[in-house]
């Protein structure tokens, strides 16, 4: 009788591979548990993360008499290595990656997933569990086979797996001795140009070389370099290069806390999140992502015609992202519902206008870019600025996307100020003195209103809304976008008040007032990173470093973070990997690191 078990129940102890066209999540046992095709927001053809039952879909290499595993990335790359060992010390290694490299003058990033298996020791026996499904797990594929491939057809897609393992064993899920290297290449229904092993080897070599060259060009801080590299690669993989959109996370419906019902679909492009991604990568001299994103962003700006802009769009500029529930999926650890789409597309979130201009502003000043922004782009952004000034003191859903409450949120007004402020600076670069005065005057009006109407004498802090008293972590952004001197007594008092009201030890929640689902239970990672930034700015660098070290330990074994951290258990919750959280890792390291000239 085979003693086979899956030792790793669903968790966020996952690695991500990808190539800026698609991505896949792989657990510590080398099980592929999430992969949407043909793009990030597509059908999860492997969905075991949300349905670990027999009805779920996965791709696993199960080792007979499994005992333990090891997992790590090939240094400075997006190539994942997982080693599985049995009770006799025999083992195999699975190398997973999505090909990405320059070929024939263009970036080669096919919808292809490569899994390479090799023997580490002994004569281990394994079986291959290869069970893609379509239409969110509701459709089993039609399966056909050739001499060296298996074809899965359904849901308008055809997946072809070319492999040099015994096809009969793969289809029957039979254990067999791994006595030689084996290669699996899943991709379009096309014949390979070269042999299976030659193709897999070539793709791996070129992909490793690409990522090492990409990483080598980063301007890293002296300290925490491995953490910054992993965060940077993760952010790069969140770019959908075909259009330039940046998704907030790769998953849907991982709850913010167990049983909370706060289950959302994050596989879309929020202009807010994308700005923070661009800014973080810019800070370590990776500006290509900004150039790609600006292609997508200017499409959104021009089509808006100076009018309303949604807080998020699909990665192909889709406006309609209707939210619905899939009842047939049990959800992550049984924590339903599973949602597809996001109702936030209907919201009015007025910080969006500032996020647009903040995301684009460096393109006017940076001489390294292939195509710097100029007067034509400035005219389009001025229309966005006009909208920002028009609505800065109007009620909205705010950056936390409250579904049943509208207020004049401080964070929205703050980003409207940032829009006007950055337009004045761009006008200076373009040599337009009249526009400098115009936007500086508007920025000053908004700043005056914020400093007056967001300040709460009762709380001795900047509140979350004009005339309000509730506290919100987003007030910390006042210093980050340079609206207020961090040494201003009001800002320091706000930091103190937020620490008392929103912090559970090192962790920080978003806000204190109950929302549509009650009071938040988990800490929101980006808020903790905002706190780290604020503490460093006001001179409490030692405290900031202590909290940063806690956040580094909160990452999973591969250096990745989700949206939320449970302050008691330390467990990760929320969608994964969350770009906001990875942004925080980079920002904190850059802010806190000792300078290079301290050691050289």
């Amino acid at each position: 009788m085979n003693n086979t078990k899956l030792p790793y129940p669903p968790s966020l102890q996952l690695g991500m591979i990808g190539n800026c066209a698609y991505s896949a999540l792989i657990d510590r046992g080398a099980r592929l548990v999430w992969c949407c095709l043909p793009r990030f927001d597509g059908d999860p053809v492997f969905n075991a993360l949300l349905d670990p039952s027999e009805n779920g879909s996965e791709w696993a290499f199960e080792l007979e008499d499994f005992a333990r595993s090891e997992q790590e990335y090939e240094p400075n790359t997006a190539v994942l290595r997982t080693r599985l060992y049995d009770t006799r010390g025999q083992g195999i290694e699975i190398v997973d990656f999505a090909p990405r490299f320059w070929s024939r003058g263009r970036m080669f990033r096919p919808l292809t997933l490569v899994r390479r298996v090799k023997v580490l020791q002994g004569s281990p026996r394994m079986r291959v569990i290869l069970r893609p499904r379509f239409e969110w797990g509701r459709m089993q594929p039609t399966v056909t086979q050739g001499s060296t491939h298996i074809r899965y057809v359904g849901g308008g897609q055809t997946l072809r797996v070319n492999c040099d393992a015994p096809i009969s064993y793969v289809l029957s899920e039979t254990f067999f001795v791994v006595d030689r290297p084996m290669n699996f290449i899943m991709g379009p229904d096309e014949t390979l140009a070269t042999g299976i092993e030659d193709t897999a080897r070539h793709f791996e070599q070129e992909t490793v070389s690409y990522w090492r060259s990409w990483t080598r060009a980063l301007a890293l801080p002296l300290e925490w370099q491995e953490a910054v590299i992993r965060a940077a690669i993760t952010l790069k993989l969140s770019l959908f290069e075909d259009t330039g959109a940046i998704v907030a996370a790769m998953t849907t419906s991982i709850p913010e806390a167990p049983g909370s019902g706060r289950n959302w679909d994050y596989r879309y492009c929020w202009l807010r999140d994308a700005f923070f991604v661009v800014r973080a990568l810019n800070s370590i001299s990776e500006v290509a992502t900004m150039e790609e994103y600006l292609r997508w962003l200017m499409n959104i700006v021009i089509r808006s015609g100076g009018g309303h802009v949604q807080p998020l769009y699909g990665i192909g500029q889709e406006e309609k992202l209707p939210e619905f529930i899939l009842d047939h999926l049990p959800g992550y650890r049984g924590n339903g519902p599973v949602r597809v789409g996001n109702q936030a597309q209907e919201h009015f979130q007025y910080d969006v206008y500032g996020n647009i201009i903040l995301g684009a502003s460096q393109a006017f000043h940076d001489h390294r870019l292939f195509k710097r922004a100029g007067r034509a782009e400035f005219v389009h952004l001025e229309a966005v600025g006009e909208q920002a000034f028009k609505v800065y003191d109007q009620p909205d859903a705010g950056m936390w996307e409250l579904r049943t409450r509208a207020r004049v949120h401080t964070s929205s007004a703050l980003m409207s100020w940032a829009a006007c402020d950055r337009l004045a600076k761009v006008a200076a670069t373009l040599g337009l003195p009249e526009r400098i005065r115009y936007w500086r005057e508007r920025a000053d009006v908004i700043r005056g209103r914020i400093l007056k109407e967001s300040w709460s004498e009762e709380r001795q802090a900047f509140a979350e809304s004009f005339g309000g008293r509730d506290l919100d972590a987003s007030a910390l952004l006042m210093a980050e976008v340079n609206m207020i001197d961090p040494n201003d007594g009001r800002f320091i008092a706000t930091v103190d008040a937020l620490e008392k009201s929103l912090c559970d030890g090192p962790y920080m929640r978003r806000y204190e007032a109950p929302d549509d689902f009650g009071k938040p239970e988990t800490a929101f990672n980006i808020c903790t990173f905002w706190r780290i930034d604020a503490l460093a700015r006001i001179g409490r660098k030692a405290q900031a470093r202590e909290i940063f070290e806690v956040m580094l330990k909160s990452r999973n074994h591969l250096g990745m973070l989700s949206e939320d951290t449970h302050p008691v258990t330390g467990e990760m919750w929320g969608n994964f990997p969350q770009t906001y959280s990875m942004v925080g890792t980079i920002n904190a390291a850059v802010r806190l690191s000792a300078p290079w000239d301290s050691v050289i």
Side-chain angles (χ1 to χ4, degrees), residues 62 118 164 203 213 346 371 403 462 469 474 487 507 530 573:
E62 290 187 5
K118 71 175 183 179
D164 49 15
F203 281 2
S213 296
E346 303 172 4
K371 184 180 182 300
R403 298 189 169 204
F462 289 108
R469 67 173 305 279
S474 62
N487 293 312
Y507 305 110
W530 289 344
W573 289 90

Side-chain angles (χ1 to χ4, degrees), residues 298 301-302 304-307 309 353-354 356-358 360-361 364 373-390 416 418-428 430-440 442:
M298 290 311 296
V301 168
I302 292 171
S304 72
V309 177
Y353 304 107
I356 289 172
I357 293 169
L358 285 166
S361 61
F364 291 89
R375 291 199 180 193
E377 290 81 6
F378 181 65
V379 169
H380 291 302
L381 292 181
E382 281 199 298
V384 175
E386 293 290 357
Q387 187 73 357
F389 188 76
K390 176 182 176 182
S416 291
C420 298
D421 176 76
R422 289 344 185 243
L423 285 172
K425 292 175 179 175
V426 170
L430 296 177
L432 303 171
E434 290 185 5
R435 305 316 290 168
I436 297 172
R437 289 190 294 273
Y438 181 85
W439 290 111
R440 177 55 52 214
R442 294 198 156 197

